[in-house]
Amino acid sequence: MSPSPDKITVIGAGLTGPLLAVSLVQRGFRVEIYERRPDPRRVRLSAGRSINLAISVRGIHALREAGLWESMSNIIIPMKGRMMHSLSGELTFQPYGKDETEVINSISRADLNAALMNEAEKRGVKIHFNERCIGFDLQTGVARFRNESETDISGIIIAADGASSAIRHAMLKLSQFNVSQQVLDYGYKELTIAAGPDGKHVLEPNALHIWPRGSHMLIALPNIDGTFACISFLPVEGKISFENLDSESKFLEFFESNFPDAVPLMPNLGDNFRDNPTGSMVTIKCSPWHVDAKSLLIGDAAHAIVPFFGQGMNCAFEDCTSLLELLDRHGADWPTIFPEFERSRKANTDAIADLALENFVEMRDRVGDPHFLFKKKVELALEAKYPRVFVPKYAMVTFHRIPYSVALSRGRIQDAMLSELCDSIDQIDHLDWGKAESMIRRQLTLLEQV
């Protein structure tokens, strides 16, 4: 029996799968989701594998289009900028945007995942848990799942099953399939800053806190329960590395030396070290993203990126926006939609992958540098004077839906301008505005903002 043309199977009940399912149901499709994990709302999963998320304009737009954003307001905390912690404990605040409307929002991955699954089920989406995809037939388009027995699924299959996607693994057999996988030589471990005795935040809650230390760093994002989700980033190998800090005593001594103002706020630091695994980070680029009109990769399954621009989820949600726009334009013409979706997205997902790696260096090495902070002030001054021409790279990525590829190319031009303009000055009063205007007119065009 041939599959129903209005039925779509989504693999993966993480973040992208349920959001896409909600939007597909709104368009009249019947959707089922197959997920390899048990239901995380009912079974506590392994600790230490859920970096807090920063949701910004692209992700908000996708949620708003699905009618879900307003319901998320009770699980987010706006962050207005970076709060840098020096070794001596001095604090320096760097706003993210030109005003208080340009913020990013801290959100717990677990809370968002539960909210999206609840919304999908409320709309009639059946989520099958403990169903591991164990194979995909490239010729017939049949996916096989294993629980207590094996199940074969055919029809339209959309793989939102993350960086270790089973469907992408099956696509390695395609003769023209290209994939690159770059594992970052850094790892991460999740830690926690406890809430105060009154359940309130012990640090400024409306900021992303960073302890930049050159070869390593600590970051902290606020949670709605008064805690902060912290992530320690260290090289995998070397003198200062997870390999070398192989005991609780070494780890605690390292923290006391490098993050002395954070340690008193982390009573469970030793427990976190023992209990939470060291995670790895990977950039994956591949092509094609589809097998004829049988299956499509989306989100991390197609383009995993490292977390240092806060765009992994936002990019995946923008995938949903792009795919749904094509569906609304073409109807369920999957042979047209799948290749057009890849053409419209791949240059942009490649660009944000590169931007995320660049931003890692910025967060780790530069955010504590006075000259870097001065350049950021000049950048905002240029944006204020030329608001539709000179838009900071961070703003293009985070506060607009400008294509990532445009943000990458214009950002590099603007970075070169800033380096030249700020080379021999340390006060905005000394900025050569005539030279700035000449460079901007010569090298930049009016930016079409979305």
Side-chain angles (χ1 to χ4, degrees):
M1 187 171 67
S2 61
S4 172
D6 65 348
K7 181 185 175 186
I8 296 175
T9 299
V10 174
I11 304 177
L15 302 176
T16 309
L19 172 61
L20 182 61
V22 166
S23 300
L24 290 170
V25 167
Q26 290 170 342
R27 287 160 173 78
F29 292 93
R30 294 184 299 115
V31 183
E32 295 189 13
I33 299 176
Y34 284 75
E35 167 58 47
R36 62 181 177 82
R37 304 171 298 166
D39 188 341
R41 297 166 296 179
R42 294 171 175 81
V43 177
R44 187 176 184 275
L45 302 180
S46 300
R49 291 194 181 276
S50 179
I51 294 178
N52 258 46
L53 305 166
I55 188 164
S56 53
V57 163
R58 298 169 201 267
I60 292 169
H61 176 79
L63 289 170
R64 187 170 278 136
E65 288 287 292
L68 302 179
W69 174 239
E70 284 67 26
S71 66
M72 303 294 172
S73 60
N74 64 329
I75 59 173
I76 64 168
I77 297 180
M79 298 183 292
K80 301 174 183 178
R82 298 165 171 165
M83 186 72 78
M84 276 75 75
H85 295 243
S86 73
L87 194 57
S88 64
E90 182 183 358
L91 300 179
T92 304
F93 182 75
Q94 178 201 332
Y96 280 129
K98 63 181 183 292
D99 55 44
E100 293 205 350
T101 66
E102 294 190 337
V103 301
I104 61 177
N105 301 279
S106 178
I107 190 168
S108 157
R109 179 186 292 271
D111 289 348
L112 178 58
N113 200 179
L116 290 172
M117 287 191 289
N118 290 340
E119 292 291 346
E121 289 179 334
K122 191 186 300 182
R123 288 161 172 76
V125 176
K126 173 65 176 173
I127 306 177
H128 304 268
F129 293 99
N130 297 301
E131 293 280 358
R132 180 179 291 275
C133 182
I134 58 171
F136 178 70
D137 190 308
L138 300 172
Q139 278 70 48
T140 64
V142 172
R144 175 158 291 184
F145 296 86
R146 176 178 291 153
N147 190 336
E148 294 178 356
S149 58
E150 293 187 2
T151 304
D152 288 352
I153 302 294
S154 60
I156 298 301
I157 293 174
I158 299 180
D161 51 343
S164 57
S165 170
I167 299 296
R168 191 187 67 245
H169 181 75
M171 290 169 66
L172 292 172
K173 298 175 184 175
L174 291 171
S175 61
Q176 298 299 312
F177 190 73
N178 295 297
V179 62
S180 68
Q181 178 172 302
Q182 178 185 355
V183 180
L184 196 64
D185 56 357
Y186 272 69
Y188 70 91
K189 188 178 287 285
E190 290 197 25
L191 311 166
T192 303
I193 287 179
D198 54 0
K200 293 186 177 178
H201 296 95
V202 295
L203 298 172
E204 166 58 50
N206 297 117
L208 186 152
H209 293 260
I210 305 181
W211 290 256
R213 299 294 185 262
S215 66
H216 52 281
M217 69 175 175
L218 176 72
I219 70 171
L221 291 84
N223 286 317
I224 58 173
D225 63 0
T227 64
F228 283 82
C230 301
I231 308 100
S232 173
F233 295 97
L234 291 168
V236 174
E237 300 175 339
K239 184 177 180 181
I240 299 177
S241 68
F242 282 115
E243 177 189 54
N244 199 34
L245 301 175
D246 56 358
S247 69
E248 184 178 337
S249 61
K250 289 183 182 178
F251 194 75
L252 293 176
E253 182 181 352
F254 168 77
F255 258 69
E256 287 165 357
S257 298
N258 288 271
F259 314 114
D261 62 329
V263 171
L265 311 177
M266 307 174 80
N268 298 317
L269 184 56
D271 293 339
N272 289 164
F273 169 78
R274 289 193 309 273
D275 298 341
N276 295 348
T278 300
S280 60
M281 294 167 283
V282 63
T283 299
I284 294 174
K285 299 177 182 179
C286 70
S287 179
W289 293 355
H290 59 94
V291 179
D292 301 326
K294 303 182 184 80
S295 69
L296 176 72
L297 306 177
I298 195 169
D300 284 358
H303 48 75
I305 65 175
V306 296
F308 301 109
F309 222 123
Q311 287 295 302
M313 170 195 58
N314 290 288
C315 180
F317 282 10
E318 191 173 61
D319 280 356
C320 296
T321 300
S322 180
L323 182 64
L324 294 164
E325 287 173 351
L326 290 170
L327 182 58
D328 292 341
R329 187 184 312 154
H330 297 295
D333 182 0
W334 305 114
T336 297
I337 290 172
F338 285 179
E340 189 170 335
F341 171 71
E342 181 178 349
R343 282 194 298 272
S344 69
R345 290 296 290 159
K346 182 154 174 50
N348 293 308
T349 59
D350 284 354
I352 191 57
D354 295 341
L355 283 163
L357 288 167
E358 290 177 9
N359 212 50
F360 175 44
V361 177
E362 178 174 307
M363 291 176 69
R364 186 191 69 197
D365 295 354
R366 299 176 187 157
V367 292
D369 174 35
H371 188 64
F372 172 83
L373 296 176
F374 171 65
K375 284 169 66 175
K376 287 295 181 183
K377 290 180 181 179
V378 172
E379 190 174 46
L380 290 175
L382 291 172
E383 181 184 24
K385 190 170 178 64
Y386 307 101
R388 297 195 61 199
V389 181
F390 194 104
V391 178
K393 177 175 62 180
Y394 188 88
M396 285 189 283
V397 169
T398 309
F399 306 128
H400 301 275
R401 293 192 299 118
I402 293 163
Y404 289 126
S405 57
V406 174
L408 176 64
S409 58
R410 287 181 74 105
R412 287 178 174 166
I413 292 169
Q414 293 175 178
D415 285 346
M417 286 184 187
L418 285 167
S419 293
E420 186 171 341
L421 290 169
C422 300
D423 182 46
S424 57
I425 63 171
D426 57 10
Q427 296 180 45
I428 290 183
D429 290 346
H430 298 158
L431 183 65
D432 186 339
W433 285 101
K435 181 177 181 180
E437 178 162 351
S438 175
M439 294 173 74
I440 288 170
R441 288 187 180 280
R442 190 170 65 250
Q443 298 182 55
L444 296 175
T445 56
L446 193 68
L447 183 61
E448 184 177 335
Q449 298 186 25
V450 287

